[in-house]
Amino acid sequence: MPYILIVEDEQRLASLLADYLAAAGMSCHWLAEGTGVVAQVRQQPPDLVLLDLMLPGRDGMEICADIRRFSQVPIIMVTARVEEIDRLLGLELGADDYICKPYSPREVVARVKAVLRRTGGTRSMSQGLEIDEPAMRVRLDGRLLDLTAVEFNLLAFLVARPGRIYSRDQLMEHIYPDRRIVNDRTIDSHIKKLRRKLEQAAPGRELIRSVYGVGYKFEPDME
Ligand code: CA
């Protein structure tokens, strides 16, 4: 069941939305102000966030930018001013859709479904690893790993082609496509931290191997 986080300071509107989303088979959590949103997304990652722009506590734009630092969870921004949408688009905040108030709850449900369809369905399983790309979440043997965005990207990239060896250059190219100045050691240090976290979750299994003088690969267990 998709779990939707509603961030909306108008209680009447929030409960109306929650009713419509529930009727469409979704579960909801409601926050009435901006301050606790990022913490909530971290603690209980939702499948989608409906984020009002004007909120007490914190601005929806700031919250959206903050969430994008660690999560690819779909975000629909809600604004009371139609002319605001152009400005928001120009800021490239990373929201997946925009809805203008006043709206019909039916329209919101339809947009939520459309965004979930578009962004979902990229969960993959391998070696007890469950990788949920939209939410940037990884579980190993059911245990949720606390990865940084770079560690997540490295892992998802390696796991997509089991057994294939990638050089540090190739990994850097994937992680920093803008060719920011980073040296080889940067990749080594991210991989080291990633391997430590995998090792902690599943002691004794070496999921990412280093190939001396070449690079790294994701190695499926030999059984
Ligand atoms: Ca508001």
Side-chain angles (χ1 to χ4, degrees), residues 129-194:
L129 266 178
E130 186 187 350
I131 298 187
D132 181 351
E133 298 224 16
M136 288 182 91
R137 255 178 298 184
V138 178
R139 285 177 191 277
L140 179 54
D141 298 338
R143 210 170 306 171
L144 190 64
L145 302 186
D146 183 20
L147 302 184
T148 64
V150 168
E151 289 160 4
F152 176 88
N153 284 331
L154 278 172
L155 181 63
F157 189 61
L158 290 166
V159 169
R161 297 265 183 90
R164 175 164 168 186
I165 302 166
Y166 288 98
S167 68
R168 291 178 179 79
D169 275 353
Q170 286 170 322
L171 294 175
M172 279 197 294
E173 176 69 18
H174 174 69
I175 300 298
Y176 305 104
D178 57 348
R179 293 173 180 274
R180 240 159 58 193
I181 313 289
V182 285
N183 64 44
D184 305 17
R185 297 296 138 207
T186 312
I187 290 295
D188 288 342
S189 115
H190 287 306
I191 293 270
K192 197 171 159 190
K193 287 179 198 149
L194 175 58

Side-chain angles (χ1 to χ4, degrees), residues 7-10 13 32 52-56 78 80 101:
V7 187
E8 171 59 67
D9 54 315
E10 291 170 58
L13 207 51
D52 189 28
L53 189 65
M54 301 288 280
L55 291 163
V78 181
K101 288 176 179 174

Side-chain angles (χ1 to χ4, degrees), residues 6 14 25 44 48 50 52 62-63 69 79 81-82 107 126 130 135 178 204 213:
I6 301 173
Q44 203 183 343
L48 185 143
L50 268 172
D52 189 28
E62 268 178 49
I63 296 169
R69 280 187 240 285
T79 168
R81 305 210 324 256
V82 70
E107 182 200 349
S126 180
E130 186 187 350
D178 57 348

